[in-house]
Amino acid sequence: MKQVIGNANLVSSEEEEAARVLREANLRHKNEMAPRVHPRDSFYTRCGKRILDIVIALPVFIILLPFNFIFGICTFFDVGRPIFYKQTRVGKDGKIFTLIKFRNMNNEVDIDGNLLPPSQRVTKFGKFMRKFSLDEMLNFWSVLKGDMSIIGPRPQPVFIYERMCDRHKMRTALRSGLECPRIIHVPGEEICKYQRTFENDVWYVENCSLKLDIKMVWMLLKMVFSLKRRDQQATGKGISYFVGYTKDGVAIGMNKYKELAKEYRTAREKND
C-alpha cells in the first residue's frame, strides 16, 4: 500500500495502475469531446448563498456543540486517539482545505500489511455514527469557515480530483457542499454512479439558484432519513473510488473498471 501525500487515505497499487491506464488511454480524448461548463454568475452565487450558509450553519453548529463533545468522548473509547479523521479535500476553484470528521474505523490490516476494506474496519459505534451521518456534524464548522456550503458538490480528495477531466473539475466553480442531491439523468449513468454524480454536480454549477437550493435542502432531508441509504452508509459496503473514464467518456469507479476488464478478457479469449 502507498500513502497518498496530503490525504489520510491509502490507495492500493492496483487502483493507481487502473487510474494510470485510463488516464493515458482516455483522458485526453475526454477533454477534447466534453462540452465546456458555464458556471452561473448571479448575486445569489456571489453573495446570497454565502449569507444563507452562515445564517443556517451558525445556530446549527452551536446547537450541536454539546452533542459533538459527547460523540468525541465516545469515539475516544471506541477507536482511541486521534478521535478525528482529517483529509485534504479540493474546494472552490481548486483550493485545498482540511475536512474533519469523527473517526469510525480502526486501522486493522491483513497479513500483507494492507488495510482491510472499509466494511471490515467500521466499528459498531462507527456504524451508528455513519448510519445517521453523525460523524459529519463537524462539517458545519467547514461551512462557517467558508470552505464549504450547505448545498454543493461533495468535496473530493486530491487524488480523485487529479483523475478528473477538465469539465468535471469545474464542479469546484462553487463551494463544495454537504451534499448535492442528484436531480438530472445523463447518458452513461446506468454504467456507474460517478458519471451521474459528476454530471449532476456540473449541472448544479450551471443552474445554481435560491429556488434550486431550497429544493435540494428538502431532498437532502429525505436522503438523511432514507433507511436504505443509511444502512449502506453504515457498513461502508460498495465503496469504490473513481479511477477514470472509459473510451466513451463515462466516469467509472474501481469496481466497474474490474468488471469491464473482466468482460474484455473474456471477449478476447473467445475470439482467440
Side-chain angles (χ1 to χ4, degrees):
M1 301 290 285
K2 180 179 179 181
Q3 176 72 38
V4 178
I5 298 176
N7 288 278
N9 296 82
L10 289 173
V11 180
S12 68
S13 57
E14 180 185 26
E15 183 184 315
E16 286 188 324
E17 177 62 15
R20 183 192 66 79
V21 169
L22 292 177
R23 180 172 58 251
E24 293 180 357
N26 304 321
L27 184 57
R28 181 177 179 180
H29 176 61
K30 173 64 177 178
N31 281 330
E32 292 174 347
M33 66 181 286
R36 292 186 61 184
V37 179
H38 302 281
R40 181 77 176 271
D41 183 21
S42 66
F43 174 80
Y44 179 71
T45 58
R46 292 193 304 271
C47 303
K49 187 173 175 65
R50 178 62 185 149
I51 294 173
L52 191 60
D53 284 337
I54 295 175
V55 169
I56 295 175
L58 182 57
V60 172
F61 180 76
I62 294 174
I63 292 172
L64 293 178
L65 271 178
F67 295 98
N68 284 330
F69 180 74
I70 294 173
F71 294 147
I73 294 175
C74 293
T75 299
F76 174 78
F77 286 106
D78 183 45
V79 295
R81 300 174 64 182
I83 64 173
F84 298 123
Y85 166 83
K86 299 180 180 181
Q87 186 184 58
T88 53
R89 297 288 178 102
V90 181
K92 188 177 185 301
D93 299 325
K95 179 182 177 181
I96 305 300
F97 71 96
T98 301
L99 184 72
I100 302 176
K101 299 181 182 181
F102 287 113
R103 283 181 61 206
N104 50 53
M105 296 185 189
N106 56 43
N107 294 318
E108 293 184 3
V109 298
D110 58 23
I111 57 176
D112 296 319
N114 298 325
L115 278 176
L116 294 173
S119 59
Q120 297 180 35
R121 292 189 291 116
V122 180
T123 65
K124 289 184 178 180
F125 178 69
K127 289 180 180 179
F128 168 77
M129 292 285 285
R130 291 165 66 95
K131 185 172 185 177
F132 296 97
S133 299
L134 301 177
D135 59 325
E136 299 198 20
M137 283 187 173
L138 295 174
N139 285 347
F140 284 100
W141 173 241
S142 295
V143 174
L144 288 175
K145 287 171 57 183
D147 292 330
M148 294 179 65
S149 179
I150 302 295
I151 296 294
R154 289 282 296 176
Q156 295 293 331
V158 176
F159 67 94
I160 295 297
Y161 177 81
E162 292 173 345
R163 298 171 182 175
M164 292 180 181
C165 66
D166 294 340
R167 172 178 171 81
H168 289 160
K169 285 181 178 180
M170 286 299 294
R171 61 198 293 281
T172 64
L174 294 178
R175 282 187 178 84
S176 302
L178 303 179
E179 192 63 70
C180 187
R182 293 190 291 268
I183 292 181
I184 63 171
H185 296 283
V186 299
E189 68 173 48
E190 72 283 352
I191 297 177
C192 185
K193 68 174 185 179
Y194 282 112
Q195 177 69 10
R196 180 176 59 207
T197 298
F198 292 165
E199 285 298 316
N200 186 79
D201 292 343
V202 169
W203 180 88
Y204 174 78
V205 165
E206 293 186 314
N207 295 273
C208 179
S209 68
L210 174 60
K211 181 179 180 181
L212 179 59
D213 275 2
I214 292 174
K215 180 178 180 180
M216 284 195 163
V217 167
W218 174 245
M219 294 177 67
L220 175 58
L221 291 174
K222 291 197 293 185
M223 289 172 61
V224 170
F225 293 102
S226 169
L227 292 177
K228 181 179 179 180
R229 184 177 184 274
R230 288 210 305 261
D231 290 339
Q232 291 176 339
Q233 188 168 279
T235 60
K237 292 181 178 179
I239 293 178
S240 172
Y241 285 127
F242 164 71
V243 290
Y245 300 90
T246 67
K247 62 181 181 180
D248 297 320
V250 177
I252 60 173
M254 189 61 187
N255 289 344
K256 178 55 66 173
Y257 174 82
K258 291 180 178 179
E259 181 182 322
L260 294 176
K262 182 178 180 180
E263 292 177 359
Y264 175 73
R265 288 194 299 268
T266 302
R268 281 192 63 180
E269 290 172 358
K270 288 183 179 180
N271 292 333
D272 294 341

